[in-house]
Amino acid sequence: MTTRKGNQETFNNEKIWKGFYTVSFLVGLVLLVFEITIYRKTIIDIYIPISIILVVGLLTFYLNRDHYKKTYALKGNFFPVIQNLFSWGAISCYIVMATNYYSADKITTEYQFQIKEKSSMPGRKYHRNERQPLVRIDYFGFEKELVFRYADTEKVNKADSIRVTVRKGRLGFDILKDYEVIN
C-alpha cells in the first residue's frame, strides 16, 4: 500500500517486514520441534543438524543484519543472530532432515545389537513418575539412544539385545522404522 507521504510508506514497509520476521521466526520454531521428532528417528550425529542451523543462521545473519537492525531500530547483534538461527537455520535444518526422512527407500534391513546401557527418562507432563525406559546401542560405531513406552519397562529391563529395522534415507542417513527388545 503506497501513499503520498514518505513517512507513511516507510511505516507500512516496516510493518510488513516486522510481520515477515515474526512469521519466519514462528515457522522456524515449529519446524524445529518437528525436526527434533525426525532426529530421534534418524541415525545421524547431533553435530550435523547443529552445524546446518549454525552455518545457515550465521550466513543469513551476515546478509540481513543491517536490514533487521534498521527495521527494529536495534544497536546490538543478539536479536538478529537469534532471529536468523531460529528462523532460517531451523527451517533449512528441517528441510534437510525431512528430505532424508520422507524420501527414504522402502526396502528395510534388520539388525540385532547388544544393549550397551539402560536408563530412563521422565514421562510426559502430569505423568513424570511414569519413566520411559531407554537403551543405548552401538550402531556400527555410532551410539544411538532408543526410547520405549512406559508400558514396556519390565520387558526392557529383562532384555539384553535389541532388533532394529532401518531404511536408507535419501541423503544416506539411516531411518529407524521399528525396534524391539529381545530377551
Side-chain angles (χ1 to χ4, degrees), residues 40 120-133 148-150 153:
R40 291 182 75 185
S120 63
M121 59 188 274
R124 64 186 197 281
K125 193 173 185 176
Y126 304 118
H127 296 276
R128 299 285 185 217
N129 60 338
E130 296 177 1
R131 298 188 64 83
Q132 295 176 307
F148 291 85
R149 297 174 308 148
Y150 172 71
T153 301

Side-chain angles (χ1 to χ4, degrees), residues 36-48:
I36 290 170
T37 303
I38 293 173
Y39 169 78
R40 291 182 75 185
K41 297 176 183 179
T42 305
I43 299 174
I44 186 172
D45 195 357
I46 185 68
Y47 297 112
I48 293 172

Side-chain angles (χ1 to χ4, degrees), residues 13-138:
N13 280 340
E14 283 180 11
K15 282 176 57 174
I16 290 170
W17 279 109
K18 285 181 180 180
F20 174 75
Y21 285 131
T22 302
V23 168
S24 67
F25 184 78
L26 294 175
V27 167
L29 286 179
V30 168
L31 291 180
L32 186 62
V33 171
F34 290 131
E35 186 273 328
I36 290 170
T37 303
I38 293 173
Y39 169 78
R40 291 182 75 185
K41 297 176 183 179
T42 305
I43 299 174
I44 186 172
D45 195 357
I46 185 68
Y47 297 112
I48 293 172
I50 289 174
S51 297
I52 293 169
I53 291 171
L54 288 175
V55 167
V56 172
L58 293 176
L59 181 65
T60 55
F61 160 73
Y62 176 75
L63 294 174
N64 80 347
R65 72 173 168 227
D66 294 334
H67 184 264
Y68 185 87
K69 288 163 84 169
K70 186 170 35 166
T71 301
Y72 284 98
L74 297 172
K75 296 209 186 279
N77 287 326
F78 178 75
F79 290 112
V81 167
I82 296 300
Q83 162 68 32
N84 287 291
L85 286 175
F86 283 103
S87 59
W88 309 119
I91 290 170
S92 62
C93 185
Y94 174 79
I95 290 170
V96 169
M97 296 293 287
T99 300
N100 183 68
Y101 184 79
Y102 293 113
S103 303
D105 290 344
K106 301 294 182 210
I107 301 168
T108 61
T109 308
E110 251 184 41
Y111 299 107
Q112 186 172 331
F113 299 100
Q114 292 294 330
I115 295 174
K116 286 176 50 176
E117 185 181 344
K118 298 176 189 176
S119 60
S120 63
M121 59 188 274
R124 64 186 197 281
K125 193 173 185 176
Y126 304 118
H127 296 276
R128 299 285 185 217
N129 60 338
E130 296 177 1
R131 298 188 64 83
Q132 295 176 307
L134 63 89
V135 299
R136 287 183 184 82
I137 61 170
D138 181 11

